[in-house]
Amino acid sequence: MLDRNRQHQIAGPGHGHALSADLYYDGAQNYSPYGRDYEDQDERFNPLRLLFYVVQYRWLIVMMAAAGLVAGIVVTMMQTPKYLATTRLEVLVPSAKVFQDIEVVSETSDMRAFETAREKLKSRALAQRVVFQLGLSEKPDFLFPTPNFSLSNIFYRAFGISKSPSIEEKTPEERERIAIGRVLGDLSVTLVANTSLLSIAFADQNPKYASDIANQVAQSFIDQRLDQTSETSDLARQFIQEQVLQVKQKLQKSEEELVAYAKDAGITITGEEKSLIGSNIETLNTALATAIQERLDAGRMVDQIDKGRAASLGPVLESEGLQKITEKLSDLTSQYQQKLGILKPGFPEMQQLQAQIKELQRLYDNGVLTITDSLRQKYQEAQNKEADLKTKLAEMETQQVIFNDKNIKYTILKREVDSNRSQYDNLIAKLNEVGVSSELKTQSAAIVDFATLPNRPYSPRLTINLAIALALFLALSASIIYIIELLNNTFTNPEQIEKELGLAMLGILPHVDDRELIASIADPKSGLSEAYRSLRTSLQFSGAEGAPRSLLVTSSEPSEGKSTTSFKLGQDFAALGARVLIVDGDLRKPNLHRLFGLDNTIGLSNLLTNTVRKEDLASIFRATKYPNVTVLTSGTIPPNPADLLSSPKMALIITNLGKRFDLVIIDAPPVVGLSDAPILSRLAEGTLMVISTNQVTRKSAKTALKRLRAAGANVVGAAMSKFAVNKFDYNYGYKYMNYQYYDYGTPKLEGKVDDGADQPAYAKSPAFRRLVRRIRSSVGGFVDRAKSLS
């Protein structure tokens, strides 16, 4: 590792202490899969992602939208204009019962009535009635309309060409069937919500047909209902009349049988339809109850008489003669008592009073005796009457038993008569009601609004067709974009590398045109140089002790920029005062010596094969024009590079070089297809993978990383090369929108272009150079995109 004591030089020359990594970079640890949950980030909805997809595929979307608009217009021209007429019909549901056995219609039955009316309006019988009423089977333009959707409609609408077949080619039955099918096919009936109204709509190419048929459907429904009601009433009346005659005959026959049996059995029926015996028994029971009550009342009086309380009886107290005698007796007794205090009882006057009192008492006693005798007589008569009634009732009950035996058949015949009479009365009432209801002819529906002649077609609607076509073609463009992105298995942005490979993104290297590459590398203030310095800073914080002392730079496939990265990183670390050795470990197709402008006569291969003289060992490590940068070229290309790199001598060389230099950068060959890079990765403290944008496939990069890790390499992170920073790209495009990000603070220098040729005056303008650069970058981005798709 680089010496921690030298960190202050690398972090910032001229400062007395090391600066925090947060001031330069987010830190390599933040790119670690342990520090971020990339899966969660990918699942979140990102509106900016959709925006960049729209910008990226803007021409495809515009072309598909234009195609959609054209398709919408063509589809509209291929459709035949149709007119719509609507009639509103109110369904009248009865609110009261007409017959006694019909219940009041409930809300549920109301809905059934509406649905029934709706289905009847769409019935074939009603359509046949409409065809007959309007004579539609004899109208060729109705029977053979223009096709609703056809390519020929474009010519018809453009040039007014129309052709109608002859109706003579069809039989009347076929014409009627065609007309009925047209009526049913273009008719729609809907129930207006929360109302009892039905909306009857008919669509046709002829506005007159549309309004006439809509109105006729409603009127035919009403007429059909009236005809059905009248026909039903006639049938009901005829049926009831037949039933009345049959029941009348049965009633007459049953009455004759009842009278004949009553006559033969000697059964007499009173006006209340009771037998004479039953009536007599009922009368006797009433009389017996009265006689018993009278006997009880008379018995109570006799009982009072027997107890010596005759004077307190009601008849005695109510007798006027006895009351006068009692008053006179009381008056004489009072006089006698008054005179008894003056005169003696033997006095004649006193004896006279006594004689009068005795006479009156005798008369009173005789009167009471007479009343009590009459009460006793009445009690005896009540007893005799009760006994007579009981005797008579017993006789009548005996007769009733005999009558009941005869009355069984009589009751059966009587019940049959009553049943026939009840049926006869009900049928007569029904017959009268049917006659009245048939004369009423109440309508079950009424037309609320008649259909008017439509003045413009309702179909096709250009705006709707355009909107549908535009939506379909935009959806198709979205599908195409999705398929393109699905088939694109290269890396287009850094987030894909972090997610697919799980590597920390240490640097993003912008794409530079090949003609400007050398100038951009040489210019310390170019965007590419600034990106490499950012990569250097990330490497400084890639480990706990700083940058690794030995760093292997490799890639999955050739031409991804690993040699340029090794070349530029050596310069940038050397600029911080570190002693840097760059080793060209590619013993198959070395390139590092070309970047430094050196020959490749001797180098690493000669050192490994002991083909270098001792006095020439020092000349193998060549100083460059860049301060603190030393280069060890690959040397002579050997026939067995893998054997040399895997030898113990190679490991010993790397260890010794790590002690002499602060940083050893090894430019290794690509990983895929070769074993050199995995061998060298075991010798280096850290490995940096260079992954090019829109070039290397994801499978190739995963395979390369898997081989490195299987060999025991410490892959510290990845650098994304050839990133088109001037392109709108999803998620990272807004961070690196153009080169101005890297040119912040860089003065605008005027001068000749990089190739040194003389240029006209306008070429010296910074604006012109930026325009040329953007055009080149756009063309280059398009070419790269085409290559990646192919």
Short mmCIF file of all heavy atoms in Angstrom, two decimals, residues 456-488:
data_model
loop_
_atom_site.label_atom_id
_atom_site.label_comp_id
_atom_site.label_asym_id
_atom_site.label_seq_id
_atom_site.Cartn_x
_atom_site.Cartn_y
_atom_site.Cartn_z
N ARG A 456 -76.14 15.26 -37.66
CA ARG A 456 -74.74 14.92 -37.90
C ARG A 456 -74.48 13.50 -37.38
O ARG A 456 -75.14 13.04 -36.46
CB ARG A 456 -73.80 15.90 -37.20
CG ARG A 456 -73.99 15.98 -35.71
CD ARG A 456 -73.04 17.01 -35.12
NE ARG A 456 -73.21 17.12 -33.68
CZ ARG A 456 -72.52 17.96 -32.90
NH1 ARG A 456 -71.60 18.73 -33.47
NH2 ARG A 456 -72.73 18.01 -31.61
N PRO A 457 -73.53 12.81 -37.98
CA PRO A 457 -73.27 11.42 -37.58
C PRO A 457 -72.61 11.37 -36.21
O PRO A 457 -71.87 12.26 -35.82
CB PRO A 457 -72.34 10.89 -38.68
CG PRO A 457 -71.68 12.11 -39.24
CD PRO A 457 -72.68 13.22 -39.12
N TYR A 458 -72.89 10.27 -35.52
CA TYR A 458 -72.24 10.06 -34.22
C TYR A 458 -71.02 9.17 -34.35
O TYR A 458 -70.20 9.09 -33.42
CB TYR A 458 -73.24 9.42 -33.25
CG TYR A 458 -73.29 7.91 -33.29
CD1 TYR A 458 -72.66 7.13 -32.33
CD2 TYR A 458 -73.97 7.25 -34.32
CE1 TYR A 458 -72.70 5.74 -32.39
CE2 TYR A 458 -74.01 5.87 -34.39
CZ TYR A 458 -73.38 5.12 -33.41
OH TYR A 458 -73.42 3.75 -33.48
N SER A 459 -70.89 8.51 -35.48
CA SER A 459 -69.74 7.63 -35.73
C SER A 459 -69.42 7.69 -37.22
O SER A 459 -70.32 7.76 -38.06
CB SER A 459 -70.08 6.19 -35.31
OG SER A 459 -69.03 5.32 -35.67
N PRO A 460 -68.13 7.71 -37.59
CA PRO A 460 -66.94 7.66 -36.70
C PRO A 460 -66.60 9.02 -36.14
O PRO A 460 -66.93 10.05 -36.74
CB PRO A 460 -65.85 7.17 -37.64
CG PRO A 460 -66.25 7.71 -38.97
CD PRO A 460 -67.74 7.68 -39.01
N ARG A 461 -65.91 9.02 -34.99
CA ARG A 461 -65.44 10.26 -34.37
C ARG A 461 -63.93 10.34 -34.55
O ARG A 461 -63.19 9.49 -34.04
CB ARG A 461 -65.81 10.28 -32.90
CG ARG A 461 -67.31 10.31 -32.65
CD ARG A 461 -67.63 10.43 -31.18
NE ARG A 461 -69.08 10.42 -30.94
CZ ARG A 461 -69.62 10.50 -29.73
NH1 ARG A 461 -68.84 10.59 -28.66
NH2 ARG A 461 -70.93 10.48 -29.59
N LEU A 462 -63.53 11.34 -35.29
CA LEU A 462 -62.11 11.46 -35.62
C LEU A 462 -61.25 11.62 -34.38
O LEU A 462 -60.17 11.02 -34.28
CB LEU A 462 -61.90 12.66 -36.57
CG LEU A 462 -60.46 12.91 -37.03
CD1 LEU A 462 -59.91 11.71 -37.77
CD2 LEU A 462 -60.39 14.16 -37.89
N THR A 463 -61.72 12.41 -33.42
CA THR A 463 -60.89 12.65 -32.21
C THR A 463 -60.70 11.36 -31.42
O THR A 463 -59.59 11.07 -30.95
CB THR A 463 -61.56 13.71 -31.34
OG1 THR A 463 -62.92 13.30 -31.04
CG2 THR A 463 -61.60 15.05 -32.04
N ILE A 464 -61.78 10.58 -31.30
CA ILE A 464 -61.66 9.32 -30.55
C ILE A 464 -60.76 8.35 -31.29
O ILE A 464 -59.90 7.68 -30.69
CB ILE A 464 -63.05 8.72 -30.31
CG1 ILE A 464 -63.87 9.65 -29.41
CG2 ILE A 464 -62.95 7.33 -29.70
CD1 ILE A 464 -65.27 9.15 -29.13
N ASN A 465 -60.94 8.23 -32.60
CA ASN A 465 -60.08 7.32 -33.37
C ASN A 465 -58.62 7.74 -33.29
O ASN A 465 -57.72 6.90 -33.18
CB ASN A 465 -60.54 7.28 -34.82
CG ASN A 465 -61.86 6.55 -34.99
OD1 ASN A 465 -62.28 5.82 -34.09
ND2 ASN A 465 -62.51 6.73 -36.11
N LEU A 466 -58.38 9.06 -33.37
CA LEU A 466 -57.00 9.53 -33.27
C LEU A 466 -56.43 9.23 -31.89
O LEU A 466 -55.26 8.82 -31.76
CB LEU A 466 -56.93 11.04 -33.55
CG LEU A 466 -57.18 11.47 -35.00
CD1 LEU A 466 -57.13 12.98 -35.12
CD2 LEU A 466 -56.16 10.85 -35.94
N ALA A 467 -57.24 9.43 -30.85
CA ALA A 467 -56.75 9.16 -29.50
C ALA A 467 -56.45 7.67 -29.32
O ALA A 467 -55.41 7.30 -28.75
CB ALA A 467 -57.78 9.63 -28.47
N ILE A 468 -57.34 6.81 -29.81
CA ILE A 468 -57.12 5.37 -29.68
C ILE A 468 -55.89 4.93 -30.47
O ILE A 468 -55.04 4.18 -29.97
CB ILE A 468 -58.37 4.60 -30.12
CG1 ILE A 468 -59.54 4.89 -29.18
CG2 ILE A 468 -58.10 3.11 -30.17
CD1 ILE A 468 -60.85 4.26 -29.61
N ALA A 469 -55.80 5.40 -31.73
CA ALA A 469 -54.66 5.03 -32.56
C ALA A 469 -53.35 5.54 -31.96
O ALA A 469 -52.34 4.84 -31.94
CB ALA A 469 -54.84 5.56 -33.97
N LEU A 470 -53.39 6.79 -31.45
CA LEU A 470 -52.19 7.35 -30.84
C LEU A 470 -51.79 6.55 -29.61
O LEU A 470 -50.60 6.24 -29.40
CB LEU A 470 -52.44 8.81 -30.47
CG LEU A 470 -51.23 9.61 -29.94
CD1 LEU A 470 -50.15 9.66 -31.00
CD2 LEU A 470 -51.66 11.01 -29.53
N ALA A 471 -52.77 6.17 -28.79
CA ALA A 471 -52.47 5.37 -27.59
C ALA A 471 -51.90 4.01 -27.98
O ALA A 471 -50.93 3.52 -27.38
CB ALA A 471 -53.73 5.21 -26.74
N LEU A 472 -52.50 3.36 -29.00
CA LEU A 472 -52.01 2.04 -29.42
C LEU A 472 -50.59 2.12 -29.96
O LEU A 472 -49.73 1.28 -29.63
CB LEU A 472 -52.95 1.45 -30.47
CG LEU A 472 -54.35 1.04 -29.98
CD1 LEU A 472 -55.19 0.55 -31.14
CD2 LEU A 472 -54.24 -0.04 -28.91
N PHE A 473 -50.32 3.12 -30.80
CA PHE A 473 -48.99 3.22 -31.38
C PHE A 473 -47.96 3.65 -30.34
O PHE A 473 -46.80 3.23 -30.42
CB PHE A 473 -49.00 4.19 -32.56
CG PHE A 473 -49.43 3.56 -33.85
CD1 PHE A 473 -50.76 3.33 -34.12
CD2 PHE A 473 -48.50 3.16 -34.79
CE1 PHE A 473 -51.16 2.73 -35.31
CE2 PHE A 473 -48.88 2.55 -35.98
CZ PHE A 473 -50.22 2.34 -36.24
N LEU A 474 -48.37 4.46 -29.37
CA LEU A 474 -47.44 4.80 -28.30
C LEU A 474 -47.15 3.57 -27.44
O LEU A 474 -46.02 3.37 -26.99
CB LEU A 474 -48.01 5.93 -27.45
CG LEU A 474 -48.02 7.32 -28.11
CD1 LEU A 474 -48.64 8.34 -27.17
CD2 LEU A 474 -46.62 7.75 -28.51
N ALA A 475 -48.19 2.77 -27.21
CA ALA A 475 -47.95 1.52 -26.48
C ALA A 475 -47.04 0.59 -27.27
O ALA A 475 -46.17 -0.09 -26.71
CB ALA A 475 -49.29 0.84 -26.19
N LEU A 476 -47.23 0.59 -28.61
CA LEU A 476 -46.35 -0.23 -29.45
C LEU A 476 -44.92 0.28 -29.39
O LEU A 476 -43.97 -0.52 -29.32
CB LEU A 476 -46.87 -0.21 -30.89
CG LEU A 476 -46.05 -1.01 -31.91
CD1 LEU A 476 -46.01 -2.48 -31.52
CD2 LEU A 476 -46.63 -0.84 -33.31
N SER A 477 -44.76 1.61 -29.41
CA SER A 477 -43.41 2.17 -29.31
C SER A 477 -42.78 1.83 -27.95
O SER A 477 -41.58 1.53 -27.87
CB SER A 477 -43.44 3.68 -29.52
OG SER A 477 -44.19 4.31 -28.48
N ALA A 478 -43.60 1.86 -26.89
CA ALA A 478 -43.07 1.49 -25.57
C ALA A 478 -42.64 0.02 -25.57
O ALA A 478 -41.61 -0.33 -24.98
CB ALA A 478 -44.14 1.74 -24.50
N SER A 479 -43.41 -0.84 -26.26
CA SER A 479 -43.02 -2.25 -26.34
C SER A 479 -41.72 -2.42 -27.12
O SER A 479 -40.85 -3.20 -26.74
CB SER A 479 -44.14 -3.05 -27.00
OG SER A 479 -45.35 -2.93 -26.28
N ILE A 480 -41.60 -1.65 -28.21
CA ILE A 480 -40.37 -1.74 -29.00
C ILE A 480 -39.17 -1.28 -28.18
O ILE A 480 -38.10 -1.91 -28.19
CB ILE A 480 -40.52 -0.91 -30.29
CG1 ILE A 480 -41.59 -1.51 -31.19
CG2 ILE A 480 -39.18 -0.81 -31.03
CD1 ILE A 480 -41.91 -0.68 -32.41
N ILE A 481 -39.37 -0.17 -27.44
CA ILE A 481 -38.27 0.33 -26.60
C ILE A 481 -37.92 -0.70 -25.54
O ILE A 481 -36.74 -0.94 -25.25
CB ILE A 481 -38.68 1.67 -25.97
CG1 ILE A 481 -38.81 2.75 -27.03
CG2 ILE A 481 -37.66 2.11 -24.91
CD1 ILE A 481 -39.38 4.05 -26.53
N TYR A 482 -38.94 -1.33 -24.98
CA TYR A 482 -38.67 -2.34 -23.95
C TYR A 482 -37.90 -3.52 -24.54
O TYR A 482 -36.96 -4.02 -23.92
CB TYR A 482 -40.00 -2.81 -23.36
CG TYR A 482 -39.85 -3.93 -22.35
CD1 TYR A 482 -39.41 -3.68 -21.06
CD2 TYR A 482 -40.14 -5.25 -22.70
CE1 TYR A 482 -39.27 -4.70 -20.14
CE2 TYR A 482 -40.01 -6.28 -21.79
CZ TYR A 482 -39.57 -5.99 -20.51
OH TYR A 482 -39.43 -7.01 -19.61
N ILE A 483 -38.29 -3.95 -25.74
CA ILE A 483 -37.58 -5.07 -26.38
C ILE A 483 -36.14 -4.69 -26.71
O ILE A 483 -35.20 -5.48 -26.51
CB ILE A 483 -38.34 -5.51 -27.64
CG1 ILE A 483 -39.71 -6.10 -27.24
CG2 ILE A 483 -37.55 -6.55 -28.42
CD1 ILE A 483 -40.59 -6.44 -28.41
N ILE A 484 -35.96 -3.44 -27.19
CA ILE A 484 -34.60 -2.98 -27.51
C ILE A 484 -33.73 -2.99 -26.26
O ILE A 484 -32.59 -3.46 -26.26
CB ILE A 484 -34.65 -1.59 -28.15
CG1 ILE A 484 -35.27 -1.67 -29.55
CG2 ILE A 484 -33.25 -0.98 -28.24
CD1 ILE A 484 -35.48 -0.32 -30.20
N GLU A 485 -34.29 -2.45 -25.18
CA GLU A 485 -33.53 -2.41 -23.93
C GLU A 485 -33.30 -3.83 -23.39
O GLU A 485 -32.28 -4.10 -22.77
CB GLU A 485 -34.27 -1.57 -22.89
CG GLU A 485 -34.29 -0.08 -23.20
CD GLU A 485 -32.90 0.52 -23.13
OE1 GLU A 485 -32.09 0.08 -22.29
OE2 GLU A 485 -32.61 1.44 -23.93
N LEU A 486 -34.29 -4.71 -23.65
CA LEU A 486 -34.14 -6.08 -23.16
C LEU A 486 -33.05 -6.82 -23.94
O LEU A 486 -32.29 -7.61 -23.37
CB LEU A 486 -35.48 -6.80 -23.28
CG LEU A 486 -35.60 -8.15 -22.57
CD1 LEU A 486 -35.47 -7.95 -21.06
CD2 LEU A 486 -36.92 -8.81 -22.90
N LEU A 487 -32.98 -6.55 -25.25
CA LEU A 487 -31.98 -7.21 -26.07
C LEU A 487 -30.59 -6.58 -25.93
O LEU A 487 -29.60 -7.21 -26.32
CB LEU A 487 -32.41 -7.18 -27.54
CG LEU A 487 -33.69 -7.95 -27.88
CD1 LEU A 487 -34.04 -7.78 -29.33
CD2 LEU A 487 -33.54 -9.42 -27.52
N ASN A 488 -30.55 -5.36 -25.44
CA ASN A 488 -29.26 -4.69 -25.26
C ASN A 488 -28.60 -5.24 -24.00
O ASN A 488 -28.92 -4.84 -22.89
CB ASN A 488 -29.47 -3.18 -25.15
CG ASN A 488 -28.16 -2.44 -25.02
OD1 ASN A 488 -27.09 -3.00 -25.29
ND2 ASN A 488 -28.24 -1.19 -24.62
#
